[in-house]
């Protein structure tokens, strides 16, 4: 009898608790669209790295909303309280807040950062994408990653519980910006060590951000709940359901999402025509990207003709493209940064001028397109209306023939677009949507600095560089190195190359570049060291290994000298300006980034065409939704500012 | 005893076929244009990586190759893979370095399996009677209507039908959720959407198969012996006309077991489809070879199952 009563009471109480009556408040749940996320490890370059930036994890610095800032954000201290930096910008010392906690109640200390950064650097994560975070600049990172040095040799040290020192291998003026990214966050040591494979799973994961992953079903959703131990600014949302896939707008209409992205022109028209949805409509310009095309850089010297490239860039009616093809979901873009941005305001735009373009084409040696071989525009997937429009414009305005060739998507993205240099590519183009990955200074160039690395060389030089790349890899498998005779040609090359190297260092006018080139370890010192080690080597395997490494050092230097001497003058000039920009604080770099950008843009290897808009519908009761404008965007992120009005 | 021997023989054949499939898949992957190892595979764009020195890039590549066992010759990679695959150990995939592929499959397969079985069951429950009615009421408005419905089902892509169903039932009538896979209510739309194409096929096959059987001598004999129409159709005609249906259900199920990518994405069903399709799109080699392995395995097993069911349906078939 009593048991029954107790059971009834218990059930009633549970129901009341669930309905929020006992708590006195209703649970505030927000459902948002998100990428299908393959886990919650923060350091991989995958959808979860966006979540790691201020939602489930936090680092020393983070993003806060700033309508005037680049990408609509500003960098603010989060766990850091203050920072001091040495004169040479190589030693950064952070004082940490003392009130920050992990979701299990443990305090967040400098030791957490020390341990986590060593863990990231260790060979325990062999596929750690170091290019995506600040660790690549930390003293001894690469030696630790390769296993040559132990983890405690990494330039990260907890001076006490709340003071962290980071020593860098090179000056970096943008460490604060770098430390905002996912790889800048600490992990909870005990949890990771207890289960290195599964520590990140909901139920096990310990986080230091405002939300904890409660459940995760790939292909369906992830649920985040409020971290009760979080200390810091945050909104009133108790639970966030991130939904993967589905029909966004229809889910929103059915009340199953609090925001949904508009992905197509028909969807956009539908939303604008609907009396309710049109009131919930929002849009923002993805101004950290530029969308356009780039030359497909193979060995064909045809596109080495600057006037030809310029003529093509000036013969596209960007206005018409945005209105007629992209249905108003994009803005015309004639420079890497749009007007209205601190960098774009200082840049010249590529005009739409058919007459001038025709004149340039004639000066390039192809009047009215005559004599110009058929060009190839590489695309992937089921057709690209933007490319069709551009090709049509070239035909109509210049008489230039360009065929569209479809490439399998894996090959296209991995070789044609982002490898930037594809020996088998014919003279022509690929599309590119180039973003900033974060707010580091180098990202201000929005990948247009690929002009420096890959494009702005004569085709003959590209060919030679390609040969050196193959040679460099071949050294890994070469047999020999047992006798002095094997070293003789290498030593001769070393001496010849040293003369060439000294000449470069003496004649290069830019001090920063000279400093870069002469930063230890110098290539010839490495070579000499390997030669000495070879002499002392005991086994044939060791001897071969030192000889191979020395061969790689020589090939690498040969390649460098061919590359340095083979750059077009514009390439060298752009590179000097780039160096000047990255060697000063971020706010100062913004003021001079346009010099390098303008030189690169004026070579027309990479041509901006349009700027995409992010468009979405949003629950009017929802505030503080931040748009992620970096690469992987558009997406929503940094949910700690979310508020759901009653 | 004959059956057991037959199954054993078939299992050996399946094993050999799988080995051949894997070897061919691996070789094709290596022959495909572009590098087998590509910069994007360890989720890095070459542009960003280009700012690293060749030595630094080499360290990243070396670490990546070690993790995925790519640092040994091709023949050894294939042998290693086969050794692991037959123990259902597949290692991590490029697109998800966080967990082994077998864990990803184990989590997603039950969902896909449920969706496949429910859809095929629905297709059979509706498709067979539709086909039978069509055959019996040949050239009447009933026949034309069912044929028309079946045509619609096979003509329009499931994705489009799914969207239309969402608009009708979720947006306008507000009786069903747009997506999800937890409650029976959430399962209705994806199951119906997936079932439509096989339903149409089953109805059409059933109709022609039954018409074919109804013209056989033994059916005429059954009628001549005074059998009622109902008895003749159920007892004599139906069983034999089911054989072609079994033939089409086998491969249909096998395909459904490896997921229906569009439908899963549309209805947020956490099944295998998205996993396997992304593998091809992103050149995720470990996942690509594993999805080939799983698909081949399920097709071969379904074919074996179909052959066994055949014999139950038709006593004239002997296991050889």
């Amino acid at each position: 009898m009593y048991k029954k009563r107790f059971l009834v009471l218990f059930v009633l109480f549970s129901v009341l608790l669930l309905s929020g009556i006992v708590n006195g408040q209703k649970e505030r749940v927000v459902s948002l669209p998100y990428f299908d996320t393959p886990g919650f490890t923060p350091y991989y370059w995958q959808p979860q790295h966006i979540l790691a930036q201020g939602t489930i994890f936090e680092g020393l610095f983070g993003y806060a909303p700033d309508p005037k800032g680049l990408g609509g954000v500003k960098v603010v201290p989060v766990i850091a309280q203050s920072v001091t930096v040495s004169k040479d910008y190589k030693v950064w010392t952070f004082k940490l807040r003392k009130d920050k906690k992990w979701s299990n109640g443990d305090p967040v200390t400098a030791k957490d950062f020390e341990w986590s950064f060593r863990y990231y650097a260790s060979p325990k994560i062999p596929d750690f994408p170091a290019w995506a975070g600040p660790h690549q600049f930390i003293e001894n990172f690469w030696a630790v990653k390769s296993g040559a040095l132990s983890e405690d040799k990494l330039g990260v040290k907890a001076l006490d519980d709340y003071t962290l020192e980071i020593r860098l291998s090179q000056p970096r003026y943008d460490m604060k910006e770098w430390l905002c990214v996912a790889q800048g966050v600490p992990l909870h040591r005990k949890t990771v060590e207890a289960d290195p494979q599964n520590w990140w799973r909901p139920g096990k994961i310990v986080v230091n951000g405002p939300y904890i992953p409660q459940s995760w079903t790939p292909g369906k959703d992830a649920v985040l709940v409020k971290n009760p131990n979080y200390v810091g600014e945050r909104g009133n949302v108790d639970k966030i359901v991130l939904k993967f896939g589905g029909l966004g707008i229809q889910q929103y209409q059915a009340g199953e999402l609090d925001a949904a992205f508009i992905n197509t022109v028909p969807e956009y028209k539908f939303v604008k025509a609907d009396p309710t949805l049109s009131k919930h409509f929002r849009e923002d310009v993805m101004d950290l990207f530029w969308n356009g095309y780039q030359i497909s850089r193979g060995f064909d010297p045809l596109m080495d003709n600057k006037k030809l490239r310029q003529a093509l860039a000036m013969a596209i009616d960007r206005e018409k493209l945005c209105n007629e093809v992209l249905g108003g979901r994009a803005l015309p873009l004639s420079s890497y940064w749009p007007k209205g941005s601190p960098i774009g305001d200082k840049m010249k735009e590529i005009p739409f001028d058919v007459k001038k373009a025709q004149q340039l084409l004639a000066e390039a040696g192809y009047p009215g397109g005559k004599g110009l071989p058929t060009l190839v525009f590489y695309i992937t997937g089921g057709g690209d209306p933007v490319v069709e429009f551009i090709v049509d414009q070239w035909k109509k305005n210049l008489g230039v023939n360009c065929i569209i060739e479809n490439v399998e998507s894996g090959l296209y993205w991995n070789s044609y677009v982002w490898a930037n240099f594809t020996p088998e590519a014919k003279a022509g183009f690929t599309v590119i949507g180039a973003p900033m990955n974060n707010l580091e200074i180098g990202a201000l160039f929005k990948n247009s600095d690929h002009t420096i690395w890959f494009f702005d060389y004569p085709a003959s030089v590209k060919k030679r560089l390609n040969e050196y790349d193959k040679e460099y890899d071949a050294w890994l498998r070469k047999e020999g190195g047992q006798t002095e005779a094997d070293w003789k040609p290498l030593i001769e090359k070393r001496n010849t190359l040293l003369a060439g190297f000294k000449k470069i260092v003496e004649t290069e006018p830019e001090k920063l570049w000279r400093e870069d080139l002469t930063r230890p370890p110098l290539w010839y010192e490495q070579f000499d060291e390997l030669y000495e080690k070879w002499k002392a080597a005991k086994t044939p395997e060791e001897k071969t290994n030192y000889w191979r490494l020395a061969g790689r050092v020589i090939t690498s230097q040969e390649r460098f000298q061919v590359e340095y001497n083979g750059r077009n003058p514009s390439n060298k000039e752009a590179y000097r300006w780039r160096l000047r920009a990255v060697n000063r604080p971020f706010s100062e770099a913004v003021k001079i980034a346009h010099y390098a950008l303008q030189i690169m843009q004026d070579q027309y290897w990479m041509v901006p065409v349009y700027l995409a808009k992010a468009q979405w519908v949003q629950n009017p009761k929802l505030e503080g939704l931040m748009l992620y404008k970096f690469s992987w965007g558009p997406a929503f992120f940094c949910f700690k500012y979310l508020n759901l009005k009653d | 005893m004959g059956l057991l021997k037959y199954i054993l023989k078939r299992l050996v054949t399946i094993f050999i076929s799988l080995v051949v499939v894997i070897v061919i898949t691996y070789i094709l992957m290596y022959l495909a244009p572009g590098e087998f190892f590509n910069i994007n595979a360890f989720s890095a764009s070459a542009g960003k990586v280009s700012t690293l020195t060749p030595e630094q890039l080499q360290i990243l590549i070396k670490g990546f190759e070690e993790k995925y066992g790519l640092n040994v010759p091709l023949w050894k990679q294939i042998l290693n893979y086969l050794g692991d695959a037959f123990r259902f150990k597949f290692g991590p995939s490029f697109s998800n370095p966080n967990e082994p592929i077998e864990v990803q499959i184990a989590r997603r397969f039950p969902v896909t399996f449920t969706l496949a079985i429910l859809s095929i069951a629905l297709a059979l429950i509706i498709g067979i009677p539709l086909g039978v009615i069509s055959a019996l009421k040949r050239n009447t408005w009933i026949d034309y209507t069912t044929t028309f419905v079946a045509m619609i089902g096979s003509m329009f892509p499931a994705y489009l039908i799914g969207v239309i169903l969402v608009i009708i039932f979720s947006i306008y009538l507000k009786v069903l959720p747009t997506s999800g896979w937890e409650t029976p209510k959430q399962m209705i739309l994806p199951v119906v959407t997936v079932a439509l194409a096989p339903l149409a096929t089953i109805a059409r096959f059933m109709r022609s198969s039954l018409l074919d059987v109804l013209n056989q001598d033994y059916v005429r004999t059954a009628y001549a012996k005074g059998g009622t129409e109902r008895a003749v159709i159920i007892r004599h005609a139906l069983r034999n006309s089911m054989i072609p249906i079994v033939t089409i259900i086998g491969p249909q199920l096998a395909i459904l077991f490896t997921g229906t990518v569009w439908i899963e994405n549309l209805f947020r069903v956490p099944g295998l489809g998205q996993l396997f399709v992304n593998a091809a799109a992103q050149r995720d080699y470990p996942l690509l070879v594993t999805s080939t392995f799983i698909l081949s395995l399920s097709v071969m097993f379904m074919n074996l199952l179909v052959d066994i069911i055949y014999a139950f349906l038709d006593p004239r078939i002997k296991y050889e």
Side-chain angles (χ1 to χ4, degrees):
Chain A
M1 188 66 197
Y2 280 112
K3 263 188 189 173
K4 257 190 184 174
R5 267 191 210 170
F6 177 76
L7 195 69
V8 169
L9 277 171
F10 177 76
V11 168
L12 268 173
F13 182 75
S14 303
V15 169
L16 286 173
L17 195 72
L18 283 170
S19 66
I21 291 169
V22 172
N23 290 345
Q25 61 176 39
K26 208 161 139 270
E27 191 181 40
R28 288 189 174 85
V29 182
V30 169
S31 296
L32 296 168
Y34 205 72
F35 305 104
D36 198 343
T37 302
F40 294 107
T41 49
Y43 44 80
Y44 286 122
W45 182 244
Q46 290 178 321
Q48 69 255 24
H49 84 268
I50 303 175
L51 276 185
Q53 297 174 50
T55 295
I56 60 174
F57 287 103
E58 313 190 306
L60 294 163
F61 288 82
Y63 299 118
D66 177 12
K68 288 189 184 138
L70 289 183
V73 295
K74 61 182 174 192
V75 172
V76 293
V78 179
I79 296 172
Q81 197 169 43
S82 63
V83 56
T84 50
V85 59
S86 64
K87 260 195 182 148
D88 62 359
Y89 277 85
K90 281 168 77 174
V91 185
W92 291 70
T93 312
F94 303 90
K95 285 277 177 205
L96 274 61
R97 280 171 62 162
K98 294 180 180 175
D99 57 351
K100 286 283 187 180
K101 288 191 174 72
W102 290 97
S103 52
N104 69 346
D106 289 352
V108 176
T109 69
K111 286 196 170 62
D112 290 318
F113 281 94
E114 180 190 83
W115 181 83
S116 303
F117 285 15
R118 286 178 181 180
Y119 178 71
Y120 295 149
S122 75
K124 290 187 192 101
I125 312 173
D127 55 340
F128 183 80
W131 57 269
H135 305 277
Q136 55 180 315
F137 312 117
I138 296 176
E139 197 174 72
N140 295 332
F141 171 84
W142 293 102
V144 173
K145 183 53 80 182
S146 67
L149 284 180
S150 60
E151 292 159 35
D152 58 341
K153 296 286 187 294
L154 187 75
V156 174
K157 200 169 171 38
L159 302 180
D160 60 48
D161 276 355
Y162 295 99
T163 312
L164 183 76
E165 184 192 74
I166 299 180
R167 306 180 76 84
L168 304 179
S169 56
Q170 60 193 91
R172 285 305 302 197
Y173 294 78
D174 50 6
M175 275 312 274
K176 279 196 287 193
E177 285 77 14
W178 266 115
L179 287 164
C180 293
V181 305
Q183 288 179 12
V185 307
L187 302 178
H188 188 256
R189 180 176 182 171
K190 276 185 206 156
T191 322
V192 177
E193 284 181 336
D195 192 350
Q197 296 305 316
N198 299 299
W199 64 265
W200 51 269
R201 292 185 188 278
K204 286 191 177 196
I205 191 169
V206 173
V207 298
N208 68 344
Y211 288 93
I212 313 169
Q214 184 191 48
S215 73
W216 167 66
T217 313
K220 188 171 143 288
D221 60 23
V223 178
L224 313 175
V225 292
K226 230 174 183 173
N227 170 3
N229 285 313
Y230 182 74
V231 177
E233 184 189 356
R234 75 148 158 222
N236 67 0
V237 174
D238 301 298
K239 186 189 271 186
I240 298 165
V241 183
L242 302 175
K243 296 190 172 179
F244 314 143
L247 286 164
I249 298 295
Q250 282 69 30
Q251 285 174 278
Y252 183 82
Q253 280 183 294
E256 295 169 20
L257 276 178
D258 289 290
F261 279 108
I262 295 163
N263 297 311
T264 61
V265 175
E267 258 185 2
Y268 172 51
K269 286 179 177 165
F270 170 74
V271 166
K272 293 299 273 183
D274 184 283
T276 311
L277 291 176
S278 58
K279 286 195 191 101
H280 299 182
F281 175 78
R282 305 264 198 291
E283 71 176 6
D284 199 347
V285 178
M286 294 294 285
D287 48 7
L288 299 187
F289 277 72
W290 64 267
N291 294 280
Y293 68 85
Q294 62 187 10
I295 303 300
S296 57
R297 192 77 265 221
F299 296 146
D300 193 327
L302 185 75
M303 300 309 280
D304 284 5
N305 186 332
K306 183 186 160 179
K307 283 186 173 167
L308 168 62
R309 300 194 303 267
Q310 189 177 357
L312 293 167
M314 286 171 70
I316 302 163
D317 187 345
R318 291 164 171 81
E319 198 83 43
K320 194 175 176 188
L321 168 79
C322 292
N323 293 333
E324 292 180 14
V325 179
L326 297 168
R329 300 194 66 240
L331 296 173
L333 185 69
S334 310
S335 61
Y336 294 130
W337 281 90
K339 288 284 172 237
S341 65
I343 300 174
D345 286 342
K346 292 177 190 153
M347 290 187 72
K348 291 199 293 279
E349 292 186 307
I350 301 167
F352 171 53
D353 187 339
V354 176
K355 268 210 170 102
K356 180 92 170 87
Q358 288 169 342
Q359 187 194 324
L360 283 161
L361 189 65
E363 288 170 16
Y366 308 107
K370 284 185 190 72
L372 183 68
T374 300
L375 303 171
V376 180
F377 207 128
Y378 293 100
I379 62 162
T380 192
D384 187 332
V386 172
V387 171
E388 285 159 22
F389 176 86
I390 292 172
V391 165
D392 184 57
Q393 290 272 294
W394 288 339
K395 177 78 195 153
K396 273 185 194 153
N397 297 334
L398 299 175
V400 166
N401 281 318
C402 182
I403 56 165
I404 297 173
E405 197 171 299
N406 215 318
V407 179
E408 178 264 327
S409 72
L411 181 68
Y412 180 76
W413 292 110
N414 297 332
S415 295
Y416 280 73
V417 176
W418 288 114
N420 310 299
F421 170 60
T422 312
E424 62 266 29
K426 300 182 188 92
F429 321 88
T430 71
V431 294
I432 180 158
M436 289 179 79
N437 284 339
N438 52 47
L439 285 181
E440 56 122 350
I441 297 171
L444 290 173
F445 303 103
K446 291 185 183 174
N447 300 96
S448 65
D449 49 3
H450 288 193
T451 296
I452 294 169
W453 319 128
F454 303 106
F455 295 106
D456 205 11
Y457 298 86
S460 55
V461 173
K462 289 303 302 183
K463 200 169 183 155
R464 287 181 67 195
L465 294 179
N466 184 251
E467 283 157 9
Y468 280 122
D469 285 339
K470 285 180 179 157
E471 170 79 1
Y472 185 78
D473 283 339
W475 268 106
L476 284 175
R477 291 170 295 278
K478 279 193 185 178
E479 289 307 327
Q482 296 304 311
T483 61
E484 286 282 358
D486 289 339
W487 279 84
K488 202 170 170 250
L490 289 182
I491 292 165
E492 280 169 7
K493 269 189 181 174
R494 173 216 180 268
N495 297 333
T496 317
L497 285 168
L498 186 58
F501 179 75
K502 280 184 172 159
K503 193 180 166 204
I504 289 170
V505 172
E506 280 161 18
T507 54
E508 170 50 50
E510 176 54 55
K511 179 170 154 282
L512 289 165
W513 204 344
R514 289 200 303 273
E515 280 173 6
D516 236 6
L517 295 175
T518 52
R519 189 167 287 135
L522 286 161
W523 66 271
Y524 53 87
E525 288 172 355
Q526 282 181 305
F527 179 89
D528 295 346
E529 199 180 315
L530 288 164
Y531 185 40
E532 291 308 314
K533 280 181 176 170
W534 176 83
K535 284 178 187 166
K538 300 269 187 298
T539 65
E541 289 79 22
E542 276 183 343
K543 279 184 180 294
T544 300
N545 189 42
Y546 288 130
W547 176 73
R548 283 174 179 176
L549 290 172
R552 278 163 72 86
V553 168
I554 293 296
T555 306
S556 172
Q557 181 58 207
E558 278 178 316
R559 188 193 188 283
F560 160 73
Q561 292 193 20
V562 167
E563 180 198 50
Y564 179 90
N565 296 320
R567 288 167 186 254
N568 289 335
S570 51
N571 182 331
K572 283 186 176 174
E573 200 45 37
Y575 188 61
R576 287 175 193 127
W577 274 110
R578 191 186 185 282
L579 276 171
R580 288 164 202 151
V582 298
N583 281 290
R584 62 189 64 204
F586 191 88
S587 56
E588 294 299 310
V590 170
K591 291 175 190 167
I592 66 157
H594 64 281
Y595 290 115
L597 281 155
Q598 191 68 57
I599 296 166
M600 292 187 286
Q601 189 180 290
D602 289 347
Q603 294 308 309
Y604 309 98
W605 293 103
M606 305 179 83
V607 178
V609 176
Y610 70 94
L611 202 56
K613 288 177 185 174
Q615 298 177 317
W616 69 98
V617 282
Q618 184 180 324
N619 178 351
K621 290 180 178 172
L622 191 63
E623 291 173 341
L625 189 60
M626 282 177 72
L627 183 70
Y628 191 75
K629 292 191 180 186
F630 299 104
S631 52
W632 284 82
F636 299 121
F637 88 124
C638 213
F639 300 132
K640 71 177 184 181
Y641 298 105
L642 280 184
N643 266 304
L644 193 60
K645 288 187 295 187
D646 290 324
Chain B
M1 195 59 212
L3 174 62
L4 197 67
K5 203 171 161 186
Y6 172 77
I7 291 174
L8 276 173
K9 206 167 117 184
R10 284 288 297 267
L11 285 175
V12 172
T13 318
I14 286 174
F15 175 79
I16 295 166
S17 309
L18 278 173
V19 170
V20 171
V21 164
I22 295 303
V23 170
I24 290 172
T25 309
Y26 251 97
I27 290 168
L28 284 176
M29 281 181 344
Y30 268 83
L31 290 177
E35 291 284 309
F36 176 79
F37 168 83
N38 59 60
I39 300 293
N40 278 15
F42 65 94
S43 49
S45 75
K48 293 298 295 180
V49 171
S50 70
T51 59
L52 305 178
T53 65
E55 286 80 4
Q56 291 168 344
L57 182 58
Q58 211 65 36
I59 290 168
L60 288 185
I61 291 174
K62 194 166 151 273
F64 177 86
E65 287 183 337
E66 269 169 24
K67 174 158 180 168
Y68 291 97
L70 305 173
N71 51 350
V72 293
L74 178 62
W75 64 269
K76 208 167 178 186
Q77 280 181 45
I78 298 174
L79 276 184
N80 289 346
Y81 181 86
L82 285 169
D84 289 342
F86 286 107
R87 290 180 294 127
F88 272 80
K89 292 260 176 279
F90 303 110
S93 62
F94 293 170
S95 54
N96 186 353
N98 304 296
E99 46 181 13
I101 295 170
E102 62 269 20
V103 174
Q104 298 176 51
I105 290 175
R107 182 176 46 231
R108 289 169 181 259
F109 185 75
V111 174
T112 295
F113 183 81
T114 311
L115 176 61
I117 294 292
L118 288 176
S119 306
I120 288 289
L122 184 69
L124 286 170
I125 290 165
I126 298 171
I128 290 175
L130 268 186
V132 172
I133 292 164
S134 264
L136 297 179
K137 308 284 180 191
R138 196 174 11 158
N139 298 336
T140 64
W141 66 270
I142 297 172
D143 182 23
Y144 296 140
T145 311
T146 49
T147 307
F148 177 73
V149 170
M151 287 263 290
I152 296 276
S154 53
M155 238 168 53
F156 289 106
Y159 186 78
L160 179 68
I161 292 170
V163 173
I164 292 166
L165 290 177
V166 166
I167 290 169
I168 295 169
F169 292 99
S170 310
I171 311 296
Y172 288 107
L173 299 177
K174 294 190 186 337
V175 288
L176 292 172
T178 63
S179 61
W181 190 257
E182 274 152 352
T183 62
K185 226 175 170 184
Q186 286 174 324
M187 294 179 182
I188 293 170
L189 286 184
V191 167
V192 170
T193 308
V194 173
L196 275 174
L199 187 153
T201 314
I202 288 165
R204 289 207 327 272
F205 264 82
M206 194 68 216
R207 179 183 181 273
S208 56
S209 174
L210 188 58
L211 285 175
D212 195 37
V213 170
L214 287 174
N215 289 328
Q216 300 283 334
D217 289 345
Y218 70 87
V219 174
R220 208 170 308 126
T221 309
Y223 276 123
K225 280 164 66 183
T228 60
E229 188 178 33
R230 189 183 166 141
V232 170
I233 286 164
I234 292 175
R235 208 172 304 162
H236 299 278
L238 258 185
R239 183 170 159 172
N240 285 334
S241 56
M242 290 292 277
I243 291 183
I245 303 295
V246 174
T247 314
I248 54 168
I249 289 174
Q252 284 267 12
L253 259 179
I255 289 162
L256 288 181
F257 282 169
T258 49
T260 46
V261 64
W262 290 114
I263 305 304
E264 286 178 9
N265 189 277
L266 177 69
F267 293 109
R268 299 192 307 110
V269 175
L272 286 171
Q274 291 179 55
L275 194 70
F276 288 168
V277 166
N278 288 345
Q282 298 167 5
R283 287 209 175 195
D284 187 336
Y285 291 118
L287 198 52
L288 197 62
V289 76
T290 303
S291 59
T292 311
F293 179 83
I294 299 286
L295 180 62
S296 312
L297 191 70
S298 42
V299 168
M300 289 172 195
F301 266 102
M302 285 318 296
N303 285 341
L304 174 61
L305 201 63
V306 165
D307 289 349
I308 293 166
I309 293 170
Y310 262 11
F312 282 108
L313 286 172
D314 188 347
R316 290 171 303 177
I317 295 171
K318 292 276 177 289
Y319 298 115
E320 291 296 338

